[in-house]
Amino acid sequence: GGTSYNGVRSQATSTVAEEASNFIKNIINEDLETGATGGRIATRFPPEPNGYLHIGHAKSICLNFGLAQEYKGTCNLRFDDTNPLTEDVEYVNSIINDVKWLGFEPTSILYTSDYFERLYELAVKLIEQGDAFVDTSTEEEIREMRGSVKTPGTESKCRAQSVKENLELFEKMRNGEFEDGEAVLRAKIDMASPNMLLRDPVIYRIKKSPPHHRTEKKWCIYPMYDFAHPLSDAIEDITHSICTLEFDVHRPLYDWLVDKLFDGPRPHQYEMGRLNLDYTLTSKRKLLKLVEQGKVSGWDDPRMPTIAGIRRKGIPPGAIRRFCKMVGVSRSESRVEMDMLEAAIREELNTITPRTMAVLDPLKVTITNWPEDKVETLSAPLFPDTLEKTEIGSPNRDIPFTRELYIEKADFMLNPPKKYFRLKPGGEVRLRYGYIIKCDEVITDPDTNGVIELKCTYDPETKSGTGTSTKKVKGTIHWVSATEGKPVKVNLYEPMLKVPNPDETLAQDENLDIMDLLNPTSLRKTQGFVEPYVHESLEKDEENDVSRFQFERQGFFAHDKMASSLEGDVILNRIVGLRDTWAKMLGNQAGRQQRGSGRRERDEAKHSDAEKEISLNDAVVLQVGEILEAWPHPDADKLICLKVNVGDEDGPRTIVSGIREHYQEGDLSGKQVVVVSNLKPSKIRGMESKGMILAASDKESAKLELLRPPQGAKAGDRVSTAEGGNLPSPDLKSPSNKMWKKLAAKLSVDAEGVARFGSYKIQIPDLGDCKVDTIKNNVLG
C-alpha cells in the first residue's frame, strides 16, 4: 500500500467488513501470497520492564507467539528498556517467567539496550540527512512550540542549525556535557502536521541517573520509545509489528523513521483493540498504587489481574490461551464480560480436575443410629462418566462415612419456605454417595439461638448405588466426615472492583479515586473440611505442580503452595465457581447470601426461585435435523419451505425459514442443521411451521450461515449446552414467547464460530461443538 505521514493509515490492508478475529491472519496470508515478506513471518513481544504483566498483555503474548507457531516463523521477547527511572531486573525476570508459563518459548530474548550503539548511529544518520536537530529550548518552550489541534506549531530557533553543529551538539549530549533537560534531539518533520506526533518529535533525551539496569553508567542519553521501537523492529527484521489501538496515531512516525533509515523489506505496524475485561484494572500505575498502599498482598495477589496473580490463584495457562482465542482480534475497542473468562477457565478445568467434596461453612451432624467407632468406606468417581480418564489411574476415591459429619450451614433451614428440598426439621435428604438421613433434633446455642448441631438418623436400606430401596427424596447435599476429614483454610475470591468499567466511572466523577471502587468482599477467608483424598493428593505433589480440585456444588479450587508454606496450613484458593454467579451477586440479595456456597445442583435449583437461573437445557429441545427437501414459499419471496427429518415417529416436519436470500433450494437438500424442535407450531404466510432452524448472522443480516452439527451427528440427535444438567424430554412443553425471547437473546457465535448460550458452548456430548465457518463474534437465532 501507499505511505502517508499525516495520521492516515499507511497500509491499504483490508475492509471493515472483514471478520475481526481474522484480520491480522488475512494480512499475513496476503503478504505470503504476494511475497511481500520474502516468505518469512517474524513477530515480537516488546514489554517495558517497569511492572508485572497483566491479562491484557496475555492477549498480545498469545497473538504474537501464536502467529509465529502457526506460520512456522519467529517471535522475539524484546525488553523495551529505554527508561532507567522505572525499570528493574525483578520485572525482567517476572516477564520471562510469565511468557514461559503461558506455554511459549521466545526465539530470542533481546533488549533494546542491545542496540543503543546502533540506535545512536541511526540518530547520527538522521542528522547527516538533515532530518534531525539538537534543540536546547526548555521543555516548556518545546511544549508551547507544538501548538494545538486547531493551530499549527512554530519552528524552533535551533531548527536552522547546520548539520555540523547538530553533530557536535549531539556528541556533547552523549559525553555528558549537558545536564538533564538542557538539550534533546528532535526529528525534523512538519510543524504544521495535523498529527501532533509529527511536529518535530523528541527522539533522544538526557537521563544521567539512575544507572541503567544493564548498561549501568555507559550511557546518559536514551532513545524515546517512538524512535527505538520501529528501528528495533527493523534491526531484528520483524515483518509484522502488532500493537494496541492507541498506537494508531504513532504509525506515521513509525513509517517515517523506517523509510528514512532502512532500505528493502521493512516492518509494518498493525493495531488491534486492547483487552478490556469487566471488573478488572490493567493500569500499571493504578495497580502499583494498590500494592504500595497495601490493598493487596503483592503483585501476585490472586485478586490481581497480573499473570503472576492469575498463576497463584490456580488458573491454568491453557485457560488463558483458550480465553484469548475466544476473545479474538478486533480493530475496535471493546469490553469483555467476566463470564467469558470464567467460561474458558471452567472448560479448561472440567476435564482435568478430580471431583471431591468439601464443606466450607461447617454444621455438625451426628447420626445417632450409627455406631460410634464404625468407619464405612464409600466409593465415588474422581471424574464423571462422560469423561474418559485412562491416564489418571484409579477412577475412584475412597470416602469415609462416620457417625459425626459436617454439612454446609446453607444446606439446613430451621424455618424453610415452601419447595425447600434440603435439610429441615423432620425432613430428609440424601447425602451424596451415601445414605438418606432424617433430621430428628436441632441443637441451638443458648446465647445466640444459632444452630450448632443436628441430630439425625440414617436409613440403612438407602445406600447410593445399591438399588435396594424405593425411597426417593428431592434433595441431595454434600458432606465430609468430621473425624476422618481434613481441615483446610480457603480463600474465596470475587472481582477486585465493584464496577465493570472503572475508567468510565472515574471519568464521570472526578471526586472518586480508584480506592473508592474496590470491592470490600473481594477476599473472604473461611475454614472448612475436605475429604482425605485432597490431603493425600497434596502429599504426592511435585515441586512445580499445582493441585486443583473440583469441589462438588462449590467450584474449582487450587492449592496455594506459597501461602501454605508460610502459614503451615493447607490453604486453597477458589479459582472459579461452577456457574456464572457474579452478576447475580451484585443485584440479588439471595445471591449474596449464597456467595460462599457456589451453585447448587440442578435438581434443587429448579425448585428454588432464589437460586433459579434460566437454562437453555431446561426449556428448549434442540435436535439435529436433516433437510430432505426445499422449495420456495408460494406467497413470500424471502421465505423457503423445508422438509426436515428430526427423528420424529410421525416422519419429517415442515419448517418455514427466512433464508432464501442466502441459500438456493438445490443447495439445501442433504444438509444437517440444528432445529429448535419444541416451539409452538405457527402459521407463516399461510403455511404451518413446526420448529426453527438456527443460523448465525451479522448484525445487519447481510451475511447468514446455518449452524452446523459436529461430524458424526445423526438426525434426531440431542443438542445441549455445556452447562450440564439432564436434557429435557423430547415432548417438553413449548416455552412461552417471553421465555424464548429471553433465551434467544443469549445465543451467539464466538471468535471461533462456536455456538454459545451465554458463556456455554452448544454441543453434542462426545461428538463436538455446533459451529459456523465464516461468521464470528455475532448473533445466533
Side-chain angles (χ1 to χ4, degrees):
T3 301
S4 169
Y5 302 119
N6 286 316
V8 180
R9 290 183 175 274
S10 62
Q11 289 90 7
T13 53
S14 50
T15 66
V16 178
E18 168 185 279
E19 293 301 332
S21 60
N22 289 329
F23 86 93
I24 288 177
K25 285 187 182 180
N26 290 348
I27 291 168
I28 290 175
N29 291 336
E30 185 178 337
D31 287 345
L32 291 174
E33 288 174 9
T34 61
T37 62
R40 293 185 315 108
I41 297 300
T43 62
R44 83 290 171 271
F45 174 62
E48 296 178 66
N50 62 356
Y52 282 72
L53 300 184
H54 53 64
I55 191 154
H57 295 109
K59 176 181 175 181
S60 180
I61 292 170
C62 291
L63 176 63
N64 281 288
F65 285 95
L67 288 171
Q69 286 182 349
E70 183 173 346
Y71 290 94
K72 296 181 172 54
T74 61
C75 184
N76 295 333
L77 170 58
R78 181 177 73 234
F79 291 98
D80 174 39
D81 56 343
T82 58
N83 186 0
L85 281 173
T86 60
E87 295 160 3
D88 196 286
V89 175
E90 174 191 355
Y91 300 135
V92 171
N93 293 334
S94 74
I95 290 169
I96 293 173
N97 289 337
D98 289 345
V99 170
K100 292 186 176 182
W101 177 78
L102 278 170
F104 301 107
E105 191 66 41
T107 304
S108 299
I109 297 177
L110 304 169
Y111 299 81
T112 300
S113 55
D114 294 336
Y115 311 131
F116 278 174
E117 190 67 46
R118 180 77 189 280
L119 293 171
Y120 178 83
E121 293 169 358
L122 291 170
V124 168
K125 183 178 179 181
L126 272 184
I127 296 172
E128 291 173 341
Q129 293 174 178
D131 292 319
F133 65 97
V134 173
D135 197 338
T136 53
S137 303
T138 66
E139 185 178 344
E140 184 178 345
E141 288 171 340
I142 292 175
R143 187 162 49 248
E144 290 177 356
M145 290 177 204
R146 291 185 68 206
S148 69
V149 176
K150 296 182 179 179
T151 59
T154 56
E155 294 183 356
S156 167
K157 61 182 183 301
C158 301
R159 204 176 198 266
Q161 291 163 178
S162 67
V163 168
K164 180 182 178 183
E165 189 175 359
N166 283 318
L167 290 172
E168 290 172 353
L169 290 170
F170 192 44
E171 187 173 359
K172 287 181 178 181
M173 285 176 61
R174 175 174 183 168
N175 293 338
E177 297 179 40
F178 290 104
E179 296 303 314
D180 288 17
E182 288 185 350
V184 294
L185 183 67
R186 296 175 68 183
K188 190 187 293 185
I189 306 179
D190 181 4
M191 289 302 292
S193 172
N195 185 332
M196 301 282 285
L197 295 177
L198 296 182
R199 294 183 183 179
D200 293 3
V202 174
I203 56 176
Y204 259 89
R205 81 287 206 199
I206 300 168
K207 284 189 182 294
K208 289 191 171 181
S209 63
H212 191 275
H213 73 101
R214 294 185 74 240
T215 61
E216 298 182 341
K217 295 183 178 180
K218 180 179 179 181
W219 292 90
C220 65
I221 60 171
Y222 294 95
M224 301 294 287
Y225 172 84
D226 276 344
F227 180 81
H229 168 228
L231 301 185
S232 296
D233 282 350
I235 290 168
E236 293 175 16
D237 289 326
I238 300 301
T239 58
H240 297 81
S241 179
I242 304 164
C243 55
T244 47
L245 205 58
E246 67 267 28
F247 290 98
D248 179 78
V249 293
H250 296 246
R251 174 141 53 88
L253 179 55
Y254 183 108
D255 291 338
W256 185 88
L257 285 165
V258 174
D259 288 342
K260 287 287 184 180
L261 295 168
F262 284 85
D263 298 321
R266 46 151 290 185
H268 288 275
Q269 176 179 302
Y270 304 93
E271 305 84 25
M272 65 174 180
R274 66 167 58 243
L275 174 57
N276 298 303
L277 181 64
D278 280 355
Y279 301 101
T280 303
L281 198 62
T282 53
S283 162
K284 285 185 184 177
R285 179 177 56 82
K286 291 172 182 172
L287 291 174
L288 178 61
K289 190 175 180 180
L290 297 182
V291 174
E292 291 177 339
Q293 295 193 15
K295 299 298 182 181
V296 292
S297 61
W299 287 100
D300 67 344
D301 188 302
R303 290 169 290 178
M304 292 281 273
T306 56
I307 296 177
I310 288 168
R311 179 166 64 243
R312 184 172 168 191
K313 191 176 184 181
I315 298 172
I320 300 302
R321 295 195 300 269
R322 182 189 294 266
F323 170 62
C324 291
K325 200 170 184 180
M326 288 166 62
V327 170
V329 184
S330 169
R331 285 197 181 89
S332 59
E333 294 286 6
S334 61
R335 298 200 66 80
V336 177
E337 294 182 358
M338 184 66 72
D339 291 8
M340 185 179 287
L341 173 59
E342 292 187 348
I345 296 170
R346 290 188 198 96
E347 286 179 17
E348 186 72 18
L349 289 174
N350 188 50
T351 59
I352 62 174
T353 51
R355 274 63 165 172
T356 67
M357 293 188 291
V359 174
L360 306 184
D361 192 11
L363 174 61
K364 185 178 179 181
V365 172
T366 299
I367 311 295
T368 57
N369 61 336
W370 187 274
E372 286 204 23
D373 298 326
K374 180 180 178 181
V375 179
E376 180 177 349
T377 301
L378 306 177
S379 183
L382 287 172
F383 295 88
D385 293 339
T386 54
L387 300 177
E388 294 183 9
K389 283 288 155 189
T390 55
E391 298 177 7
I392 299 296
S394 173
N396 289 349
R397 86 265 190 189
D398 292 335
I399 309 174
F401 190 90
T402 56
R403 177 182 173 89
E404 295 181 348
L405 310 171
Y406 288 124
I407 67 169
E408 296 288 348
K409 286 180 181 177
D411 282 336
F412 174 81
M413 287 190 75
L414 199 56
N415 299 296
K418 290 181 179 180
K419 296 187 178 180
Y420 180 82
F421 294 103
R422 282 170 273 156
L423 200 56
K424 57 189 175 185
E428 292 182 309
V429 296
R430 174 172 292 283
L431 296 179
R432 183 87 159 133
Y433 307 116
Y435 298 91
I436 291 175
I437 63 170
K438 180 180 180 180
C439 179
D440 303 310
E441 184 183 355
V442 179
I443 311 298
T444 58
D445 187 303
D447 297 325
T448 65
N449 288 325
V451 178
I452 57 175
E453 184 180 355
L454 305 177
K455 300 284 189 180
C456 300
T457 50
Y458 88 107
D459 184 340
E461 301 300 318
T462 59
K463 183 177 179 180
S464 289
T466 60
T468 58
S469 172
T470 59
K471 182 182 285 190
K472 302 291 183 183
V473 291
K474 291 186 176 179
T476 300
I477 62 175
H478 64 273
W479 55 277
V480 170
S481 165
T483 52
E484 302 294 318
K486 303 298 181 181
V488 292
K489 292 182 177 179
V490 180
N491 295 323
L492 301 173
Y493 294 105
E494 292 173 4
M496 193 162 56
L497 301 179
K498 295 186 289 187
V499 297
N501 189 342
D503 293 333
E504 182 180 76
T505 302
L506 293 173
Q508 291 171 350
D509 188 344
E510 60 183 20
N511 296 319
L512 284 178
D513 181 79
I514 190 62
M515 300 301 172
D516 299 318
L517 306 184
L518 295 181
N519 173 18
T521 60
S522 61
L523 169 60
R524 186 164 64 87
K525 294 177 178 286
T526 186
Q527 297 190 37
F529 294 87
V530 296
E531 294 178 28
Y533 171 82
V534 173
H535 273 229
E536 293 165 7
S537 296
L538 298 182
E539 291 171 0
K540 299 174 185 176
D541 255 5
E542 297 294 333
E543 183 178 348
N544 295 320
D545 284 350
V546 176
S547 286
R548 302 180 180 91
F549 307 92
Q550 183 184 135
F551 293 155
E552 298 193 25
R553 301 174 71 225
Q554 304 273 23
F556 295 94
F557 292 75
H559 182 210
D560 190 328
K561 286 188 176 181
M562 180 184 297
S564 296
S565 62
L566 289 174
E567 298 189 26
D569 297 304
V570 173
I571 297 178
L572 303 173
N573 295 331
R574 181 169 66 188
I575 305 170
V576 67
L578 293 180
R579 298 286 297 271
D580 302 331
T581 57
W582 173 243
K584 293 176 74 66
M585 288 174 188
L586 289 177
N588 184 316
Q589 184 61 34
R592 289 193 189 95
Q593 293 170 354
Q594 300 295 331
R595 183 175 285 122
S597 304
R599 290 296 299 177
R600 300 304 179 197
E601 292 180 315
R602 179 173 302 282
D603 61 345
E604 297 171 42
K606 285 194 290 185
H607 299 288
S608 172
D609 291 339
E611 294 176 343
K612 187 167 182 179
E613 179 177 313
I614 294 178
S615 163
L616 195 69
N617 289 349
D618 289 339
V620 172
V621 176
L622 297 180
Q623 291 179 278
V624 175
E626 182 181 356
I627 299 175
L628 305 177
E629 187 181 352
W631 67 95
H633 193 291
D635 299 319
D637 292 341
K638 295 183 179 180
L639 298 179
I640 198 164
C641 303
L642 305 167
K643 191 72 73 177
V644 184
N645 174 21
V646 293
D648 293 340
E649 291 183 1
D650 298 336
R653 59 175 70 184
T654 299
I655 297 176
V656 180
S657 180
I659 62 173
R660 193 173 176 190
E661 290 185 339
H662 306 278
Y663 288 92
Q664 299 295 317
E665 292 82 1
D667 298 332
L668 291 168
S669 293
K671 270 189 179 295
Q672 284 194 335
V673 291
V674 176
V675 177
V676 184
S677 60
N678 70 321
L679 295 179
K680 292 179 182 177
S682 59
K683 289 273 187 175
I684 301 180
R685 298 295 291 270
M687 184 167 292
E688 186 175 65
S689 179
K690 295 183 178 180
M692 173 187 289
I693 292 176
L694 291 182
S697 66
D698 57 21
K699 288 171 184 174
E700 293 78 27
S701 297
K703 294 174 63 178
L704 181 142
E705 183 181 349
L706 294 173
L707 186 63
R708 169 172 49 82
Q711 190 171 1
K714 302 186 298 296
D717 281 354
R718 300 297 297 280
V719 178
S720 66
T721 65
E723 59 189 316
N726 295 323
L727 289 174
S729 165
D731 57 359
L732 178 74
K733 180 182 176 182
S734 301
S736 66
N737 288 338
K738 183 177 180 181
M739 177 176 282
W740 169 243
K741 286 180 180 178
K742 192 169 184 178
L743 293 167
K746 298 181 71 174
L747 294 172
S748 66
V749 289
D750 64 16
E752 296 298 308
V754 175
R756 289 184 178 269
F757 175 72
S759 57
Y760 296 103
K761 290 182 176 181
I762 296 175
Q763 58 184 208
I764 298 180
D766 302 325
L767 287 183
D769 303 326
C770 298
K771 62 193 304 184
V772 293
D773 296 319
T774 63
I775 297 176
K776 313 292 169 66
N777 286 330
N778 247 308
V779 296
L780 180 68

